[in-house]
Amino acid sequence: MKVLITTSGLGTRIGEYTKYINKSLVSIGDKPAICHIIESYSKESSFVITLGYLGDLVKQFIEMTYPEREIYFSYVDVYKGAGSSLLYSIICAKEFLQEPFIFHACDTIISNPSAITENWIGCSKVVPNSSCYRSVNVDNKYIKSINDKGEITYDYEFVGVFGIKNYERFWDISDDILEEKDCPSDYDILDIMIKEFDFEYQVFDYWLDIGNSNSLSIARKETPSQFNILPKERESIFFVENKVIKFFYDKDVCRNRVDRALSLKGVVPAITSSSENFYSYSFTEGDLFSEIVNPKKISDLLTWAKQKLWCKFDVYDKATFVDSCYSFYKEKTINRINEFFTINSSYDKEDVINGMKIPTVMSMIESINFEVLCDSEPTVFHGDFILDNIIYSKEEGFTLIDWRQDFAGDLHLGDMKYDLAKLNHSIFLNHKILMQDNFTIEYFDDSILTDILVSKNLVDCKNVIMKFCEENNISYKQIDILTSLIWLSMAPLHHHPLDKFLFYFGKYNLYNSLIGLK
């Protein structure tokens, strides 16, 4: 079979999800929608994929993920505004489809489409009403009519997949319609073709639609991820077969991550493939550390990290490294806080949080002795040393994933105190806790209540970190301050209500760290 998948549109109906990535790459479960589509066909099938909006990201991903598949790319020059349409995108692929083919919309996930022995249209009764979908009426084994959206009397919903045996006539009709109508679609062609040819109908009991925000939400609930991963706007992580594939909208971040993998050789997985916006590595077998952590294992991790990760540098420029720490800890935090205020149209002020009067966050930051905080010896660093980025197995020991791309622009020198602060942060705010909404942010007339549910096991793990700091002449108070700065810096990177929680929880804890209540 030859299958046409159109990914050229803007995907505006699912809103912010397509701001930085193409609709076909939006995650459903652990992998993008387009993976569900491609893998529903036999490995002998070939594909034609139209590229338009953020099309280069689609091409990079497909080439990295399916190098063994036969895939052709068709470039759509007009994919938005005047002259753009689904039919125009289809016609751009005409040269690759001079034979019977299947059209498969990139926002439709079904199971086991049939080969083309006759013309056919994919149908379903999964969706309870057709207000958002076209529909069909049938007579015995054939389609009798195809209806526009909103039809009340119908037999099945149209799922956005069809097979074309009479391809020559398909292209003739397509050319004619494109000249006559301003914004033609596949519906216009099928409406004519079913009057000229017999079209069988295939009924799919399994159908997920991700074409609008509501249906996308439903699809994600029906196909949950196996992993606790916090969504981020400008990056994604996918799991396809035995590959882990990371996406970064920022090409510099991706390139630096790949470069840093060489510096972290032996403690992170080896990169197997990379492009401007993606890299991949083999899936690491083992337990996610956040699922098995206990005080003994935290102690083992810290001993391992001291030996294998936090290796010191014999030669470095002290002043330059101190400047890097200052930039990373103070300037970056202030920039992130200002970003939070801009996003939320708010300003820095005193707040009553958990019954305590807390001064402005900027005044607290100015009171921090950054000269002491930045007085560190540089080491190799991970940069996002959290429970959810650590894999453990009895055979391989510890493996670190999802490392940070730099430390204030430096790809090699970092501060182990920052790694300790990230670990400390994840004791309280690991992905599982956040994904289960086990945090509280409540607003009253003159105060704010913020708290989080943490197990006794995790509290005991924090005490192990404190003991490690004491034994290695590291100030835990500095780790505590850095932990609060991390929460403040994270706030603008997440959606409501997590953003507000992170800000006020970070502000409250920073105050307690500074006045010594902890």
Side-chain angles (χ1 to χ4, degrees), residues 303-363:
T303 299
W304 173 87
K306 183 179 178 182
Q307 296 173 349
K308 301 291 186 179
L309 174 63
W310 297 320
C311 302
K312 295 184 179 181
F313 291 86
D314 295 328
V315 179
Y316 64 94
D317 186 280
K318 177 70 172 180
T320 300
F321 182 67
V322 168
D323 288 343
S324 295
C325 291
Y326 183 86
S327 172
F328 197 67
Y329 294 149
K330 184 174 184 180
E331 294 176 356
K332 180 180 75 106
T333 303
I334 290 175
N335 289 337
R336 290 278 184 84
I337 291 170
N338 287 330
E339 185 180 351
F340 172 83
F341 289 143
T342 299
I343 291 171
N344 290 278
S345 300
S346 58
Y347 61 95
D348 196 11
K349 62 183 180 64
E350 293 182 348
D351 293 292
V352 176
I353 306 175
N354 296 348
M356 298 180 66
K357 187 175 182 179
I358 311 295
T360 65
V361 69
M362 291 303 184
S363 66

Side-chain angles (χ1 to χ4, degrees), residues 179-380:
E179 292 181 2
E180 296 172 2
K181 300 193 68 170
D182 290 335
C183 192
S185 72
D186 54 335
Y187 163 80
D188 297 297
I189 308 174
L190 295 176
D191 188 43
I192 293 173
M193 287 197 73
I194 61 176
K195 296 179 176 65
E196 298 183 12
F197 303 95
D198 288 336
F199 270 76
E200 297 180 348
Y201 60 96
Q202 287 190 36
V203 179
F204 296 97
D205 295 327
Y206 177 79
W207 170 36
L208 296 179
D209 171 60
I210 65 164
N212 59 72
S213 298
N214 183 59
S215 61
L216 173 60
S217 177
I218 294 171
R220 285 180 157 177
K221 287 179 181 178
E222 292 190 17
T223 314
S225 173
Q226 300 179 59
F227 308 96
N228 295 315
I229 298 172
L230 290 179
K232 297 180 181 178
E233 277 194 333
R234 302 189 182 204
E235 60 183 79
S236 303
I237 183 167
F238 309 119
F239 302 87
V240 185
E241 296 177 344
N242 68 334
K243 295 179 183 177
V244 179
I245 303 172
K246 287 282 295 183
F247 159 73
F248 301 89
Y249 183 76
D250 188 324
K251 296 177 182 178
D252 291 336
V253 171
C254 186
R255 182 178 62 252
N256 290 345
R257 290 277 185 109
V258 173
D259 289 345
R260 287 211 64 231
L262 297 175
S263 301
L264 295 170
K265 183 178 180 181
V267 298
V268 303
I271 301 295
T272 55
S273 181
S274 66
S275 63
E276 287 187 327
N277 298 91
F278 296 85
Y279 65 76
S280 69
Y281 55 85
S282 297
F283 185 84
T284 301
E285 296 291 343
D287 294 310
L288 193 64
F289 201 54
S290 59
E291 299 289 342
I292 62 169
V293 65
N294 59 44
K296 172 63 169 61
K297 286 186 168 64
I298 278 283
S299 180
D300 292 343
L301 171 69
L302 292 170
T303 299
W304 173 87
K306 183 179 178 182
Q307 296 173 349
K308 301 291 186 179
L309 174 63
W310 297 320
C311 302
K312 295 184 179 181
F313 291 86
D314 295 328
V315 179
Y316 64 94
D317 186 280
K318 177 70 172 180
T320 300
F321 182 67
V322 168
D323 288 343
S324 295
C325 291
Y326 183 86
S327 172
F328 197 67
Y329 294 149
K330 184 174 184 180
E331 294 176 356
K332 180 180 75 106
T333 303
I334 290 175
N335 289 337
R336 290 278 184 84
I337 291 170
N338 287 330
E339 185 180 351
F340 172 83
F341 289 143
T342 299
I343 291 171
N344 290 278
S345 300
S346 58
Y347 61 95
D348 196 11
K349 62 183 180 64
E350 293 182 348
D351 293 292
V352 176
I353 306 175
N354 296 348
M356 298 180 66
K357 187 175 182 179
I358 311 295
T360 65
V361 69
M362 291 303 184
S363 66
M364 288 192 288
I365 289 176
E366 290 302 327
S367 72
I368 297 172
N369 189 338
F370 281 96
E371 183 177 346
V372 173
L373 191 63
C374 297
D375 186 18
S376 301
E377 293 185 12
T379 66
V380 177

Side-chain angles (χ1 to χ4, degrees), residues 70-263:
E70 183 179 9
I71 297 175
Y72 306 90
F73 297 100
S74 172
Y75 294 89
V76 179
D77 55 342
V78 182
Y79 55 83
K80 62 180 178 178
S84 63
S85 67
L86 175 57
L87 182 55
Y88 182 77
S89 292
I90 292 173
I91 286 180
C92 286
K94 182 178 179 180
E95 65 175 299
F96 299 105
L97 298 168
Q98 295 303 310
E99 60 187 281
F101 68 93
I102 292 173
F103 168 84
H104 197 130
C106 75
D107 53 15
T108 290
I109 298 172
I110 55 176
S111 58
N112 303 319
S114 297
I116 308 164
T117 56
E118 299 292 338
N119 300 306
W120 59 265
I121 290 177
C123 310
S124 181
K125 277 194 172 180
V126 175
V127 180
N129 70 76
S130 67
S131 60
C132 295
Y133 303 98
R134 295 188 174 90
S135 59
V136 298
N137 296 96
V138 303
D139 182 14
N140 295 322
K141 60 182 294 189
Y142 297 111
I143 299 286
K144 184 169 62 175
S145 65
I146 183 166
N147 312 308
D148 210 340
K149 297 176 182 178
E151 178 64 36
I152 298 174
T153 305
Y154 65 92
D155 293 311
Y156 296 98
E157 291 90 14
F158 170 48
V159 301
V161 182
F162 55 84
I164 297 296
K165 178 181 179 182
N166 300 101
Y167 65 93
E168 292 175 328
R169 182 58 179 148
F170 178 93
W171 295 120
D172 289 340
I173 295 173
S174 298
D175 291 337
D176 292 341
I177 292 175
L178 195 62
E179 292 181 2
E180 296 172 2
K181 300 193 68 170
D182 290 335
C183 192
S185 72
D186 54 335
Y187 163 80
D188 297 297
I189 308 174
L190 295 176
D191 188 43
I192 293 173
M193 287 197 73
I194 61 176
K195 296 179 176 65
E196 298 183 12
F197 303 95
D198 288 336
F199 270 76
E200 297 180 348
Y201 60 96
Q202 287 190 36
V203 179
F204 296 97
D205 295 327
Y206 177 79
W207 170 36
L208 296 179
D209 171 60
I210 65 164
N212 59 72
S213 298
N214 183 59
S215 61
L216 173 60
S217 177
I218 294 171
R220 285 180 157 177
K221 287 179 181 178
E222 292 190 17
T223 314
S225 173
Q226 300 179 59
F227 308 96
N228 295 315
I229 298 172
L230 290 179
K232 297 180 181 178
E233 277 194 333
R234 302 189 182 204
E235 60 183 79
S236 303
I237 183 167
F238 309 119
F239 302 87
V240 185
E241 296 177 344
N242 68 334
K243 295 179 183 177
V244 179
I245 303 172
K246 287 282 295 183
F247 159 73
F248 301 89
Y249 183 76
D250 188 324
K251 296 177 182 178
D252 291 336
V253 171
C254 186
R255 182 178 62 252
N256 290 345
R257 290 277 185 109
V258 173
D259 289 345
R260 287 211 64 231
L262 297 175
S263 301

Side-chain angles (χ1 to χ4, degrees), residues 26-95:
V26 170
S27 290
I28 306 297
D30 296 318
K31 54 191 175 185
I34 198 167
C35 290
H36 292 276
I37 295 171
I38 290 175
E39 292 171 14
S40 69
Y41 293 91
S42 69
K43 291 188 176 182
E44 291 72 30
S45 300
S46 62
F47 297 86
V48 179
I49 299 175
T50 66
L51 304 177
Y53 175 68
L54 297 178
D56 185 53
L57 300 183
V58 178
K59 187 173 186 290
Q60 288 181 53
F61 175 81
I62 294 297
E63 289 180 336
M64 179 177 294
T65 309
Y66 300 108
E68 75 287 353
R69 295 265 191 168
E70 183 179 9
I71 297 175
Y72 306 90
F73 297 100
S74 172
Y75 294 89
V76 179
D77 55 342
V78 182
Y79 55 83
K80 62 180 178 178
S84 63
S85 67
L86 175 57
L87 182 55
Y88 182 77
S89 292
I90 292 173
I91 286 180
C92 286
K94 182 178 179 180
E95 65 175 299

